Amino acid sequence: MRYLSVLPTALWLGACATLPQQTPVEPLEPLNPDVIRPLARPSNLNTTPAPTPPPTARTVEDFDTTTAEDRAAAVNTDADTGGEKTLGNTVASLGDPTKPGFWLETPLVSSPRAGRVVSNETGKEVLVDLIPIDGPATAGSRISLAAMRLLGVSLAGLPELQVFGR
């Protein structure tokens, strides 16, 4: 019986305790697409943007909107490679197939630049735009559909690439 009389007193004292005040969190404002802009395309990049695939694209050929001239220029590695240096190796997966052109999104660079990738599997090489992404240098990369096709690697695979930059 004695415990029953202590219980209301304990509850009453507990209710008197002061809890720390929480600062109210203001709701985040919605993102404004007019304020968030992609990085400007540096003038020294080696490819020109290919047209965006049509909304009805279903096949690899539909998504790869590069022209024969674009592909020929991307494999023309006889061009001046002065100032080029090895950035490292990376394992790449297929990037966004709706993003046209020849590019590699990689943590091996901190700013966009022109570059070249060589497949360890096939030995083929392609000139690409190197686009920085967050992560340690040991993290994987994402490569464009058009570049994967020119490298002759499986679109479902994870090719190991040597990356060179200018």
Side-chain angles (χ1 to χ4, degrees):
M1 192 71 168
R2 185 172 16 163
Y3 295 112
L4 291 177
S5 64
V6 174
L7 183 62
T9 305
L11 290 174
W12 179 76
L13 287 174
C16 292
T18 58
L19 297 173
Q21 290 290 329
Q22 296 289 330
T23 305
V25 177
E26 294 182 24
L28 294 174
E29 293 182 27
L31 295 177
N32 182 346
D34 294 331
V35 174
I36 299 173
R37 293 180 178 86
L39 293 173
R41 185 178 182 86
S43 60
N44 67 337
L45 294 183
N46 55 17
T47 61
T48 55
T52 303
T56 57
R58 298 291 177 261
T59 67
V60 172
E61 287 75 22
D62 292 343
F63 281 101
D64 185 355
T65 59
T66 59
T67 64
E69 293 81 22
D70 294 336
R71 292 188 287 276
V75 295
N76 181 14
T77 55
D78 293 334
D80 178 31
T81 57
E84 183 179 80
K85 64 180 180 179
T86 303
L87 300 176
N89 290 335
T90 189
V91 174
S93 62
L94 176 63
D96 182 354
T98 65
K99 192 173 175 183
F102 303 100
W103 48 265
L104 177 73
E105 296 173 330
T106 181
L108 295 175
V109 296
S110 58
S111 61
R113 64 173 80 175
R116 178 174 59 98
V117 293
V118 179
S119 167
N120 288 352
E121 179 184 342
T122 65
K124 294 181 179 181
E125 53 190 281
V126 176
L127 299 173
V128 295
D129 295 338
L130 300 174
I131 302 166
I133 57 173
D134 288 334
T138 56
S141 301
R142 297 181 294 264
I143 190 166
S144 71
L145 172 70
M148 281 188 95
R149 292 181 74 193
L150 288 180
L151 289 171
V153 295
S154 168
L155 299 179
L158 297 171
E160 186 173 335
L161 306 173
Q162 297 172 45
V163 181
F164 301 88
R166 295 188 198 132

